[in-house]
Amino acid sequence: GAVVSQHPSRVICKSGTSVKIECRSLDFQATTMFWYRQFPKQSLMLMATSNEGSKATYEQGVEKDKFLINHASLTLSTLTVTSAHPEDSSFYICSARGPGQGNTIYFGEGSWLTVV
Amino acid sequence: AQKITQTQPGMFVQEKEAVTLDCTYDTSDQSYGLFWYKQPSSGEMIFLIYQGSYDEQNATEGRYSLNFQKARKSANLVISASQLGDSAMYFCAMREGLSGSARQLTFGSGTQLTVLP
């Protein structure tokens, strides 16, 4: 079945540095991917919609200069957290609509980011 | 207004028994899709079951079934013969728009299910 892979699964970075998270569709093309953020014991909150070959669409309240999204190919979207701060520590997870009729939305494994 | 409401923050069920996780939704679209995902402590989101707004039959996938009551705007998940491995957070989600559209999912707040031995 369709698979979405996310990397890294866990990352620790120093405050002020940038960290990149990759989201790949392994056996299908995804013109649109979605990035979510999840705090402990809470639901998934959509951050942005990543569109291949064009600018991402950010949800209200999400800083586009802080959370840079690049969707350079049909199988890869990246989320870069720039100048990370401890409050950016969270679980980040991407998703893509599956191939064919596309009723199923597939998620990556998620990435745990800790900023120290 | 909340688009997806899960009123049960936590649920307990005895192993081998059935459990129903509630989900109600709010949309003015005629076309929409309803999803249930399981999220274990590792964080991955595991797709369980899908129900389209025009589907007349309730969706079933193994031990999972979706009790779809369109007029009441509810899409409850029923897990039969619960297993210890079913202990996890369960999210109900909705995609508004036609099947195949690139619209994002909106999630409920989740229900933490604990299966007791």
Side-chain angles (χ1 to χ4, degrees), chain A residues 37-103:
Chain A
R37 182 175 183 176
Q38 186 181 28
F39 290 107
K41 307 289 187 186
Q42 294 189 24
S43 188
L44 280 73
M45 299 301 295
L46 180 68
M47 297 176 65
T49 302
S50 173
N51 304 297
E52 188 269 336
S54 65
K55 290 183 179 180
T57 305
Y58 289 82
E59 294 301 299
Q60 193 172 7
V62 177
E63 298 176 61
K64 56 185 69 177
D65 293 332
K66 180 166 191 60
F67 298 100
L68 300 178
I69 291 173
N70 187 304
H71 196 150
S73 78
L74 287 171
T75 59
L76 174 65
S77 174
T78 60
L79 167 68
T80 302
V81 183
T82 63
S83 186
H85 290 284
E87 56 265 30
D88 298 325
S89 299
S90 187
F91 183 66
Y92 295 88
I93 190 166
C94 67
S95 72
R97 179 172 64 86
Q101 288 205 345
N103 287 331

Side-chain angles (χ1 to χ4, degrees), chain B residues 34-85:
Chain B
L34 297 158
F35 301 75
W36 276 92
Y37 286 87
K38 172 184 178 181
Q39 187 180 42
S41 56
S42 58
E44 59 186 310
M45 294 288 284
I46 302 168
F47 167 75
L48 297 178
I49 197 165
Y50 167 83
Q51 180 87 40
S53 58
Y54 295 117
D55 295 342
E56 295 185 352
Q57 302 266 7
N58 283 347
T60 60
E61 290 285 348
R63 295 187 297 111
Y64 304 107
S65 60
L66 200 151
N67 184 359
F68 181 45
Q69 297 188 38
K70 196 170 182 177
R72 298 177 62 181
K73 292 190 175 179
S74 75
N76 298 340
L77 176 71
V78 181
I79 305 175
S80 62
S82 296
Q83 301 172 356
L84 294 177

Side-chain angles (χ1 to χ4, degrees), chain A residues 18-37:
Chain A
S18 296
V19 61
K20 181 186 288 187
I21 301 170
E22 294 186 346
C23 180
R24 292 181 185 273
S25 56
L26 294 186
D27 52 1
F28 66 101
Q29 295 181 336
T31 55
T32 302
M33 292 184 176
F34 303 97
W35 286 96
Y36 293 84
R37 182 175 183 176

